[in-house]
Amino acid sequence: MEKRAYKERIIYQIYPLSFKDSNNDGYGDLKGIIQKLDYLKELGVGMIWLSPIYNSPMKDNGYDISDYYKINPLFGTMEDFDTLLEETKKRDIKIVMDLVVNHTSDQHPWFQEALKNKDSKYRDYYYFRKGNGKKPPNNWNSAFSGYCWEKVPNEDNMYYLHLFTKEQPDLNYHNEEVIKEVENILKFYLDKGVAGFRCDVISQIYKTSLENGKFSLFSRGREHYENQEGAFKILERFRREVLDKYDDVFLVGETSSLTPKIGQEFIDRRALDMFFEFDHAFCKSFKLVPIFKKPVYKAKLLFKPIFKWQKEVSWIGAYLENHDQLRSVSRFGDEKKFFKESAKALSLFLLSLKGTIFIYQGQEIGTLNYKNLTYEETDDCMAKNATETAMKMLHVSKRRAFKWVNDTVNRDHARAPFQWDDSINGGFNEGHQTWIKINDNYKNINVKNEVNDKNSILNFYKKMIHFRNHSDTLKYGSFEEIKSNSYVAKFLRRTNDETLLIVANLSNKQIKDKKLDETKEILVSNYDKHENKVLKPFEAIIYKIK
Ligand code: NOJ
């Protein structure tokens, strides 16, 4: 298999708003990230993916960009970004940018110009269309609830398309100039030395037609814009015209409505180097049924879908958390009885998978969902919209609707300020009110406590990352599932030289396994002592097969 930096290095995702606030204004910033680079180096991270840091009115926390060539003043300046690049380079860490080009912000000068002047060339940068009688141009709905067409002010029966919030108008990839604009953005940051891009909702950029979508409660229209041939062709062009001119750079796609066949096609055509699948991440989300009961996350909901992708595609971005998901220990672990064990089991499981491993900030210390968050304290636009939609559709109270949203999709669980220590605001800053509340468990769960505890989750992550960084078998070996039960994830990673067996009990039950431990040497495990042929709750082991 071809050796590439993106295949070997652990990628750590930073959500800049919440990582470290260096100037005590309540928002994380680039200088804060620079202050913590040694922490990341020590952890063993080889690349950092930065969620968007560009100019933005922050309606969707930076996923609404108003200037691709400027740094959001909340985060700092272009000079700070250049310093970050230098400082990461010194530490042999690479930077991956977030490329958000399905849409811009409605405050982007292109869109502003398009609104002001019907004859401007920027009209065709977006989708402006006449309504269908009194209705919008088609029946599609937005990923953030409601229709995805917004009326243009002061124009008769004119709408524009937005697959996300109305402040995020979609770009029109039938327009050659739009494609060139994106190529220029890519070049600008590649010239600065970034290693690649995480491409936001990239599977949706090309709208083949604007026909009505077939019936679906929440995702009407997708068949017209998900994974279209046009998107493949544009990405192939980016590769040919831009990426291939740089050394060892890559694209990871945020892709939805995917099958392994389509995912593999992205890779085979070099449209993307890898992609994220969402089967495990969304296992209990966006389903109205659970509104009357708390979702129960079982081990197999996590590892079965992951195994499907591991088996069927040649490479993948493997992850448990990101800025859009609930915290993994809160869903798939056991926060109360087996907090440490379950966080470590999830760490061993993730860091043994095939593909590029992504760790989301705070995951390495076992950060939990922020359960006591109220609707009023929630910042996430999607969580708020989903609450309102549920209230309308199901005629339930706001309290009940929000409870469901909080249990299943509130993205703020992952966005609360990072818990560095037990001082005010968890050491995120020096006491200024933070942009969203910090989780009130920060006095117990924080980096400072965990650095000093040799049995901490953080130290286990370090150990696992170190192990993977030195294991060609975990980096490049094949993946083979071993049939087990619905509690235990079992698989082999194999090269010509070595075979590793990974066994992770992802449940709070003790499991007996007669076949365990026969002529196998334990290389890593999350319990001090292992009892022959028994897996304790959340016990996870990497064996070397002799
Ligand atoms: C996916 C991003 O991860 C999410 O945070 C954002 O809201 C949408 N794309 C829209 O850009």
Side-chain angles (χ1 to χ4, degrees), residues 277 303-318 349-350 352-357 478-480 491 493:
E277 57 81 19
F303 74 81
K304 289 282 176 199
I306 289 183
F307 281 3
K308 176 180 94 184
W309 290 91
Q310 290 277 308
K311 286 187 285 195
E312 295 190 29
V313 297
S314 57
W315 200 260
I316 194 156
F349 169 71
L350 172 68
S352 303
L353 291 172
K354 181 175 96 180
T356 302
I357 307 300
S478 63
F479 173 93
E480 251 171 74
F491 54 101
R493 300 295 316 280

PDB file of all heavy atoms in Angstrom, residues 277 303-318 349-350 352-357 478-480 491 493:
ATOM      1  N   GLU A 277     -18.117   8.318   7.028  1.00  0.00           N
ATOM      2  CA  GLU A 277     -19.486   7.761   6.942  1.00  0.00           C
ATOM      3  C   GLU A 277     -20.201   8.139   8.241  1.00  0.00           C
ATOM      4  O   GLU A 277     -19.547   8.465   9.240  1.00  0.00           O
ATOM      5  CB  GLU A 277     -19.445   6.245   6.719  1.00  0.00           C
ATOM      6  CG  GLU A 277     -18.683   5.442   7.779  1.00  0.00           C
ATOM      7  CD  GLU A 277     -19.467   5.150   9.023  1.00  0.00           C
ATOM      8  OE1 GLU A 277     -20.707   5.229   8.981  1.00  0.00           O
ATOM      9  OE2 GLU A 277     -18.842   4.829  10.062  1.00  0.00           O
ATOM     10  N   PHE A 303     -20.351  -0.797  16.649  1.00  0.00           N
ATOM     11  CA  PHE A 303     -19.298  -1.487  15.902  1.00  0.00           C
ATOM     12  C   PHE A 303     -19.777  -2.210  14.650  1.00  0.00           C
ATOM     13  O   PHE A 303     -19.006  -2.379  13.711  1.00  0.00           O
ATOM     14  CB  PHE A 303     -18.435  -2.367  16.817  1.00  0.00           C
ATOM     15  CG  PHE A 303     -19.056  -3.639  17.309  1.00  0.00           C
ATOM     16  CD1 PHE A 303     -19.087  -4.776  16.524  1.00  0.00           C
ATOM     17  CD2 PHE A 303     -19.582  -3.713  18.598  1.00  0.00           C
ATOM     18  CE1 PHE A 303     -19.628  -5.959  16.995  1.00  0.00           C
ATOM     19  CE2 PHE A 303     -20.131  -4.884  19.075  1.00  0.00           C
ATOM     20  CZ  PHE A 303     -20.161  -6.010  18.272  1.00  0.00           C
ATOM     21  N   LYS A 304     -21.053  -2.596  14.598  1.00  0.00           N
ATOM     22  CA  LYS A 304     -21.518  -3.278  13.376  1.00  0.00           C
ATOM     23  C   LYS A 304     -21.407  -2.375  12.151  1.00  0.00           C
ATOM     24  O   LYS A 304     -20.829  -2.771  11.138  1.00  0.00           O
ATOM     25  CB  LYS A 304     -22.956  -3.792  13.538  1.00  0.00           C
ATOM     26  CG  LYS A 304     -23.074  -4.969  14.491  1.00  0.00           C
ATOM     27  CD  LYS A 304     -22.628  -6.251  13.828  1.00  0.00           C
ATOM     28  CE  LYS A 304     -22.663  -7.381  14.852  1.00  0.00           C
ATOM     29  NZ  LYS A 304     -21.872  -8.550  14.485  1.00  0.00           N
ATOM     30  N   PRO A 305     -21.977  -1.144  12.206  1.00  0.00           N
ATOM     31  CA  PRO A 305     -21.822  -0.289  11.023  1.00  0.00           C
ATOM     32  C   PRO A 305     -20.365   0.051  10.722  1.00  0.00           C
ATOM     33  O   PRO A 305     -19.959   0.072   9.560  1.00  0.00           O
ATOM     34  CB  PRO A 305     -22.601   0.985  11.377  1.00  0.00           C
ATOM     35  CG  PRO A 305     -23.086   0.840  12.762  1.00  0.00           C
ATOM     36  CD  PRO A 305     -22.836  -0.542  13.236  1.00  0.00           C
ATOM     37  N   ILE A 306     -19.578   0.258  11.778  1.00  0.00           N
ATOM     38  CA  ILE A 306     -18.159   0.575  11.525  1.00  0.00           C
ATOM     39  C   ILE A 306     -17.491  -0.593  10.790  1.00  0.00           C
ATOM     40  O   ILE A 306     -16.751  -0.410   9.823  1.00  0.00           O
ATOM     41  CB  ILE A 306     -17.433   0.910  12.845  1.00  0.00           C
ATOM     42  CG1 ILE A 306     -17.915   2.273  13.357  1.00  0.00           C
ATOM     43  CG2 ILE A 306     -15.923   0.920  12.654  1.00  0.00           C
ATOM     44  CD1 ILE A 306     -17.246   2.779  14.607  1.00  0.00           C
ATOM     45  N   PHE A 307     -17.802  -1.811  11.225  1.00  0.00           N
ATOM     46  CA  PHE A 307     -17.202  -2.986  10.581  1.00  0.00           C
ATOM     47  C   PHE A 307     -17.613  -3.087   9.110  1.00  0.00           C
ATOM     48  O   PHE A 307     -16.830  -3.487   8.269  1.00  0.00           O
ATOM     49  CB  PHE A 307     -17.620  -4.267  11.308  1.00  0.00           C
ATOM     50  CG  PHE A 307     -16.835  -4.525  12.575  1.00  0.00           C
ATOM     51  CD1 PHE A 307     -15.885  -3.605  13.010  1.00  0.00           C
ATOM     52  CD2 PHE A 307     -17.026  -5.671  13.324  1.00  0.00           C
ATOM     53  CE1 PHE A 307     -15.156  -3.827  14.173  1.00  0.00           C
ATOM     54  CE2 PHE A 307     -16.300  -5.919  14.484  1.00  0.00           C
ATOM     55  CZ  PHE A 307     -15.368  -4.989  14.903  1.00  0.00           C
ATOM     56  N   LYS A 308     -18.871  -2.738   8.837  1.00  0.00           N
ATOM     57  CA  LYS A 308     -19.319  -2.809   7.433  1.00  0.00           C
ATOM     58  C   LYS A 308     -18.374  -1.971   6.559  1.00  0.00           C
ATOM     59  O   LYS A 308     -17.885  -2.431   5.528  1.00  0.00           O
ATOM     60  CB  LYS A 308     -20.753  -2.278   7.336  1.00  0.00           C
ATOM     61  CG  LYS A 308     -21.276  -2.223   5.911  1.00  0.00           C
ATOM     62  CD  LYS A 308     -22.690  -1.690   5.841  1.00  0.00           C
ATOM     63  CE  LYS A 308     -22.669  -0.193   5.579  1.00  0.00           C
ATOM     64  NZ  LYS A 308     -23.974   0.447   5.574  1.00  0.00           N
ATOM     65  N   TRP A 309     -18.097  -0.746   6.995  1.00  0.00           N
ATOM     66  CA  TRP A 309     -17.234   0.149   6.204  1.00  0.00           C
ATOM     67  C   TRP A 309     -15.799  -0.325   6.208  1.00  0.00           C
ATOM     68  O   TRP A 309     -15.102  -0.233   5.200  1.00  0.00           O
ATOM     69  CB  TRP A 309     -17.340   1.585   6.737  1.00  0.00           C
ATOM     70  CG  TRP A 309     -18.681   2.168   6.439  1.00  0.00           C
ATOM     71  CD1 TRP A 309     -19.789   2.129   7.234  1.00  0.00           C
ATOM     72  CD2 TRP A 309     -19.078   2.826   5.230  1.00  0.00           C
ATOM     73  NE1 TRP A 309     -20.845   2.744   6.607  1.00  0.00           N
ATOM     74  CE2 TRP A 309     -20.437   3.183   5.380  1.00  0.00           C
ATOM     75  CE3 TRP A 309     -18.416   3.157   4.051  1.00  0.00           C
ATOM     76  CZ2 TRP A 309     -21.149   3.858   4.384  1.00  0.00           C
ATOM     77  CZ3 TRP A 309     -19.113   3.832   3.062  1.00  0.00           C
ATOM     78  CH2 TRP A 309     -20.468   4.167   3.234  1.00  0.00           C
ATOM     79  N   GLN A 310     -15.342  -0.828   7.337  1.00  0.00           N
ATOM     80  CA  GLN A 310     -13.963  -1.319   7.409  1.00  0.00           C
ATOM     81  C   GLN A 310     -13.720  -2.423   6.383  1.00  0.00           C
ATOM     82  O   GLN A 310     -12.672  -2.512   5.775  1.00  0.00           O
ATOM     83  CB  GLN A 310     -13.684  -1.878   8.826  1.00  0.00           C
ATOM     84  CG  GLN A 310     -13.619  -0.813   9.903  1.00  0.00           C
ATOM     85  CD  GLN A 310     -12.252  -0.141   9.992  1.00  0.00           C
ATOM     86  OE1 GLN A 310     -11.233  -0.796  10.087  1.00  0.00           O
ATOM     87  NE2 GLN A 310     -12.234   1.170   9.946  1.00  0.00           N
ATOM     88  N   LYS A 311     -14.768  -3.266   6.209  1.00  0.00           N
ATOM     89  CA  LYS A 311     -14.603  -4.409   5.300  1.00  0.00           C
ATOM     90  C   LYS A 311     -14.724  -3.989   3.843  1.00  0.00           C
ATOM     91  O   LYS A 311     -14.093  -4.543   2.974  1.00  0.00           O
ATOM     92  CB  LYS A 311     -15.681  -5.470   5.606  1.00  0.00           C
ATOM     93  CG  LYS A 311     -15.395  -6.222   6.894  1.00  0.00           C
ATOM     94  CD  LYS A 311     -16.353  -7.362   7.113  1.00  0.00           C
ATOM     95  CE  LYS A 311     -17.703  -6.868   7.544  1.00  0.00           C
ATOM     96  NZ  LYS A 311     -18.595  -7.861   8.112  1.00  0.00           N
ATOM     97  N   GLU A 312     -15.581  -3.018   3.590  1.00  0.00           N
ATOM     98  CA  GLU A 312     -15.957  -2.794   2.195  1.00  0.00           C
ATOM     99  C   GLU A 312     -15.236  -1.666   1.468  1.00  0.00           C
ATOM    100  O   GLU A 312     -15.360  -1.551   0.258  1.00  0.00           O
ATOM    101  CB  GLU A 312     -17.479  -2.614   2.101  1.00  0.00           C
ATOM    102  CG  GLU A 312     -18.171  -3.905   2.496  1.00  0.00           C
ATOM    103  CD  GLU A 312     -19.648  -3.891   2.215  1.00  0.00           C
ATOM    104  OE1 GLU A 312     -20.071  -3.199   1.281  1.00  0.00           O
ATOM    105  OE2 GLU A 312     -20.372  -4.579   2.949  1.00  0.00           O
ATOM    106  N   VAL A 313     -14.512  -0.818   2.183  1.00  0.00           N
ATOM    107  CA  VAL A 313     -13.776   0.217   1.450  1.00  0.00           C
ATOM    108  C   VAL A 313     -12.280   0.130   1.775  1.00  0.00           C
ATOM    109  O   VAL A 313     -11.896  -0.394   2.819  1.00  0.00           O
ATOM    110  CB  VAL A 313     -14.299   1.649   1.742  1.00  0.00           C
ATOM    111  CG1 VAL A 313     -15.735   1.802   1.278  1.00  0.00           C
ATOM    112  CG2 VAL A 313     -14.165   2.017   3.206  1.00  0.00           C
ATOM    113  N   SER A 314     -11.472   0.656   0.858  1.00  0.00           N
ATOM    114  CA  SER A 314     -10.021   0.476   1.013  1.00  0.00           C
ATOM    115  C   SER A 314      -9.424   1.446   2.034  1.00  0.00           C
ATOM    116  O   SER A 314      -8.388   1.176   2.620  1.00  0.00           O
ATOM    117  CB  SER A 314      -9.322   0.643  -0.331  1.00  0.00           C
ATOM    118  OG  SER A 314      -9.630   1.920  -0.859  1.00  0.00           O
ATOM    119  N   TRP A 315     -10.069   2.602   2.220  1.00  0.00           N
ATOM    120  CA  TRP A 315      -9.540   3.563   3.209  1.00  0.00           C
ATOM    121  C   TRP A 315     -10.701   4.404   3.720  1.00  0.00           C
ATOM    122  O   TRP A 315     -11.698   4.580   2.998  1.00  0.00           O
ATOM    123  CB  TRP A 315      -8.455   4.446   2.591  1.00  0.00           C
ATOM    124  CG  TRP A 315      -7.597   5.076   3.653  1.00  0.00           C
ATOM    125  CD1 TRP A 315      -7.689   6.340   4.122  1.00  0.00           C
ATOM    126  CD2 TRP A 315      -6.543   4.444   4.380  1.00  0.00           C
ATOM    127  NE1 TRP A 315      -6.754   6.538   5.115  1.00  0.00           N
ATOM    128  CE2 TRP A 315      -6.040   5.382   5.293  1.00  0.00           C
ATOM    129  CE3 TRP A 315      -5.989   3.151   4.362  1.00  0.00           C
ATOM    130  CZ2 TRP A 315      -4.997   5.097   6.169  1.00  0.00           C
ATOM    131  CZ3 TRP A 315      -4.949   2.866   5.237  1.00  0.00           C
ATOM    132  CH2 TRP A 315      -4.460   3.833   6.128  1.00  0.00           C
ATOM    133  N   ILE A 316     -10.589   4.932   4.919  1.00  0.00           N
ATOM    134  CA  ILE A 316     -11.706   5.698   5.486  1.00  0.00           C
ATOM    135  C   ILE A 316     -11.197   6.637   6.581  1.00  0.00           C
ATOM    136  O   ILE A 316     -10.096   6.406   7.124  1.00  0.00           O
ATOM    137  CB  ILE A 316     -12.776   4.709   6.043  1.00  0.00           C
ATOM    138  CG1 ILE A 316     -14.098   5.433   6.319  1.00  0.00           C
ATOM    139  CG2 ILE A 316     -12.273   3.979   7.291  1.00  0.00           C
ATOM    140  CD1 ILE A 316     -15.300   4.536   6.308  1.00  0.00           C
ATOM    141  N   GLY A 317     -11.944   7.666   6.896  1.00  0.00           N
ATOM    142  CA  GLY A 317     -11.649   8.483   8.069  1.00  0.00           C
ATOM    143  C   GLY A 317     -12.404   7.854   9.235  1.00  0.00           C
ATOM    144  O   GLY A 317     -13.627   7.847   9.251  1.00  0.00           O
ATOM    145  N   ALA A 318     -11.659   7.296  10.209  1.00  0.00           N
ATOM    146  CA  ALA A 318     -12.319   6.586  11.313  1.00  0.00           C
ATOM    147  C   ALA A 318     -12.431   7.529  12.512  1.00  0.00           C
ATOM    148  O   ALA A 318     -11.444   8.165  12.893  1.00  0.00           O
ATOM    149  CB  ALA A 318     -11.528   5.349  11.682  1.00  0.00           C
ATOM    150  N   PHE A 349     -10.399   0.591  20.829  1.00  0.00           N
ATOM    151  CA  PHE A 349     -11.170   0.154  19.651  1.00  0.00           C
ATOM    152  C   PHE A 349     -10.891   1.095  18.469  1.00  0.00           C
ATOM    153  O   PHE A 349     -10.488   0.664  17.386  1.00  0.00           O
ATOM    154  CB  PHE A 349     -12.657   0.148  20.034  1.00  0.00           C
ATOM    155  CG  PHE A 349     -13.592  -0.022  18.875  1.00  0.00           C
ATOM    156  CD1 PHE A 349     -13.691  -1.246  18.229  1.00  0.00           C
ATOM    157  CD2 PHE A 349     -14.380   1.037  18.428  1.00  0.00           C
ATOM    158  CE1 PHE A 349     -14.555  -1.403  17.145  1.00  0.00           C
ATOM    159  CE2 PHE A 349     -15.244   0.884  17.357  1.00  0.00           C
ATOM    160  CZ  PHE A 349     -15.327  -0.342  16.714  1.00  0.00           C
ATOM    161  N   LEU A 350     -11.072   2.388  18.696  1.00  0.00           N
ATOM    162  CA  LEU A 350     -10.898   3.362  17.603  1.00  0.00           C
ATOM    163  C   LEU A 350      -9.477   3.323  17.045  1.00  0.00           C
ATOM    164  O   LEU A 350      -9.268   3.266  15.825  1.00  0.00           O
ATOM    165  CB  LEU A 350     -11.205   4.779  18.120  1.00  0.00           C
ATOM    166  CG  LEU A 350     -10.877   5.915  17.153  1.00  0.00           C
ATOM    167  CD1 LEU A 350     -11.811   5.886  15.948  1.00  0.00           C
ATOM    168  CD2 LEU A 350     -10.958   7.277  17.838  1.00  0.00           C
ATOM    169  N   SER A 352      -7.408   1.125  16.866  1.00  0.00           N
ATOM    170  CA  SER A 352      -6.983  -0.116  16.211  1.00  0.00           C
ATOM    171  C   SER A 352      -7.639  -0.297  14.851  1.00  0.00           C
ATOM    172  O   SER A 352      -7.366  -1.277  14.156  1.00  0.00           O
ATOM    173  CB  SER A 352      -7.348  -1.322  17.081  1.00  0.00           C
ATOM    174  OG  SER A 352      -6.782  -1.196  18.354  1.00  0.00           O
ATOM    175  N   LEU A 353      -8.509   0.627  14.476  1.00  0.00           N
ATOM    176  CA  LEU A 353      -9.240   0.453  13.214  1.00  0.00           C
ATOM    177  C   LEU A 353      -8.358   0.764  12.008  1.00  0.00           C
ATOM    178  O   LEU A 353      -7.315   1.405  12.126  1.00  0.00           O
ATOM    179  CB  LEU A 353     -10.469   1.376  13.192  1.00  0.00           C
ATOM    180  CG  LEU A 353     -11.600   1.018  14.160  1.00  0.00           C
ATOM    181  CD1 LEU A 353     -12.655   2.123  14.175  1.00  0.00           C
ATOM    182  CD2 LEU A 353     -12.251  -0.327  13.805  1.00  0.00           C
ATOM    183  N   LYS A 354      -8.860   0.331  10.859  1.00  0.00           N
ATOM    184  CA  LYS A 354      -8.201   0.665   9.588  1.00  0.00           C
ATOM    185  C   LYS A 354      -8.552   2.104   9.210  1.00  0.00           C
ATOM    186  O   LYS A 354      -9.643   2.574   9.533  1.00  0.00           O
ATOM    187  CB  LYS A 354      -8.746  -0.306   8.531  1.00  0.00           C
ATOM    188  CG  LYS A 354      -8.184  -0.147   7.156  1.00  0.00           C
ATOM    189  CD  LYS A 354      -8.709  -1.252   6.245  1.00  0.00           C
ATOM    190  CE  LYS A 354      -9.916  -0.773   5.457  1.00  0.00           C
ATOM    191  NZ  LYS A 354     -10.446  -1.813   4.561  1.00  0.00           N
ATOM    192  N   GLY A 355      -7.661   2.788   8.508  1.00  0.00           N
ATOM    193  CA  GLY A 355      -7.978   4.140   8.033  1.00  0.00           C
ATOM    194  C   GLY A 355      -7.219   5.199   8.804  1.00  0.00           C
ATOM    195  O   GLY A 355      -6.355   4.901   9.628  1.00  0.00           O
ATOM    196  N   THR A 356      -7.548   6.450   8.516  1.00  0.00           N
ATOM    197  CA  THR A 356      -6.929   7.556   9.252  1.00  0.00           C
ATOM    198  C   THR A 356      -7.766   7.819  10.503  1.00  0.00           C
ATOM    199  O   THR A 356      -8.988   7.936  10.418  1.00  0.00           O
ATOM    200  CB  THR A 356      -6.911   8.821   8.374  1.00  0.00           C
ATOM    201  OG1 THR A 356      -6.183   8.514   7.180  1.00  0.00           O
ATOM    202  CG2 THR A 356      -6.250   9.984   9.100  1.00  0.00           C
ATOM    203  N   ILE A 357      -7.092   7.919  11.642  1.00  0.00           N
ATOM    204  CA  ILE A 357      -7.834   8.060  12.894  1.00  0.00           C
ATOM    205  C   ILE A 357      -8.000   9.543  13.230  1.00  0.00           C
ATOM    206  O   ILE A 357      -7.026  10.297  13.261  1.00  0.00           O
ATOM    207  CB  ILE A 357      -7.092   7.362  14.059  1.00  0.00           C
ATOM    208  CG1 ILE A 357      -6.777   5.901  13.705  1.00  0.00           C
ATOM    209  CG2 ILE A 357      -7.903   7.458  15.356  1.00  0.00           C
ATOM    210  CD1 ILE A 357      -7.953   5.024  13.411  1.00  0.00           C
ATOM    211  N   SER A 478      -4.426  -5.246   6.924  1.00  0.00           N
ATOM    212  CA  SER A 478      -5.800  -5.493   6.452  1.00  0.00           C
ATOM    213  C   SER A 478      -6.739  -5.592   7.659  1.00  0.00           C
ATOM    214  O   SER A 478      -6.287  -5.714   8.802  1.00  0.00           O
ATOM    215  CB  SER A 478      -5.845  -6.791   5.656  1.00  0.00           C
ATOM    216  OG  SER A 478      -5.486  -7.841   6.529  1.00  0.00           O
ATOM    217  N   PHE A 479      -8.027  -5.558   7.387  1.00  0.00           N
ATOM    218  CA  PHE A 479      -9.023  -5.677   8.458  1.00  0.00           C
ATOM    219  C   PHE A 479      -9.868  -6.912   8.206  1.00  0.00           C
ATOM    220  O   PHE A 479     -10.335  -7.145   7.106  1.00  0.00           O
ATOM    221  CB  PHE A 479      -9.943  -4.440   8.445  1.00  0.00           C
ATOM    222  CG  PHE A 479     -11.100  -4.555   9.410  1.00  0.00           C
ATOM    223  CD1 PHE A 479     -10.996  -4.043  10.691  1.00  0.00           C
ATOM    224  CD2 PHE A 479     -12.275  -5.206   9.041  1.00  0.00           C
ATOM    225  CE1 PHE A 479     -12.048  -4.172  11.590  1.00  0.00           C
ATOM    226  CE2 PHE A 479     -13.329  -5.344   9.936  1.00  0.00           C
ATOM    227  CZ  PHE A 479     -13.216  -4.820  11.221  1.00  0.00           C
ATOM    228  N   GLU A 480     -10.038  -7.718   9.239  1.00  0.00           N
ATOM    229  CA  GLU A 480     -10.909  -8.898   9.117  1.00  0.00           C
ATOM    230  C   GLU A 480     -11.793  -8.998  10.342  1.00  0.00           C
ATOM    231  O   GLU A 480     -11.276  -9.067  11.464  1.00  0.00           O
ATOM    232  CB  GLU A 480     -10.033 -10.155   9.138  1.00  0.00           C
ATOM    233  CG  GLU A 480      -9.908 -10.880   7.837  1.00  0.00           C
ATOM    234  CD  GLU A 480      -8.826 -11.938   8.010  1.00  0.00           C
ATOM    235  OE1 GLU A 480      -9.087 -12.957   8.682  1.00  0.00           O
ATOM    236  OE2 GLU A 480      -7.703 -11.704   7.503  1.00  0.00           O
ATOM    237  N   PHE A 491     -11.682  -8.245  15.924  1.00  0.00           N
ATOM    238  CA  PHE A 491     -11.171  -8.199  14.554  1.00  0.00           C
ATOM    239  C   PHE A 491      -9.669  -8.400  14.498  1.00  0.00           C
ATOM    240  O   PHE A 491      -8.975  -8.276  15.513  1.00  0.00           O
ATOM    241  CB  PHE A 491     -11.560  -6.891  13.859  1.00  0.00           C
ATOM    242  CG  PHE A 491     -11.170  -5.617  14.577  1.00  0.00           C
ATOM    243  CD1 PHE A 491     -10.056  -4.884  14.180  1.00  0.00           C
ATOM    244  CD2 PHE A 491     -11.934  -5.128  15.635  1.00  0.00           C
ATOM    245  CE1 PHE A 491      -9.703  -3.691  14.825  1.00  0.00           C
ATOM    246  CE2 PHE A 491     -11.587  -3.937  16.283  1.00  0.00           C
ATOM    247  CZ  PHE A 491     -10.473  -3.224  15.884  1.00  0.00           C
ATOM    248  N   ARG A 493      -6.038  -7.364  12.529  1.00  0.00           N
ATOM    249  CA  ARG A 493      -5.311  -6.466  11.633  1.00  0.00           C
ATOM    250  C   ARG A 493      -4.050  -7.236  11.238  1.00  0.00           C
ATOM    251  O   ARG A 493      -3.327  -7.729  12.093  1.00  0.00           O
ATOM    252  CB  ARG A 493      -4.953  -5.163  12.358  1.00  0.00           C
ATOM    253  CG  ARG A 493      -6.124  -4.364  12.893  1.00  0.00           C
ATOM    254  CD  ARG A 493      -7.047  -3.811  11.821  1.00  0.00           C
ATOM    255  NE  ARG A 493      -6.377  -3.225  10.668  1.00  0.00           N
ATOM    256  CZ  ARG A 493      -5.843  -1.991  10.630  1.00  0.00           C
ATOM    257  NH1 ARG A 493      -5.929  -1.220  11.695  1.00  0.00           N
ATOM    258  NH2 ARG A 493      -5.232  -1.536   9.555  1.00  0.00           N
TER     259      ARG A 493
END
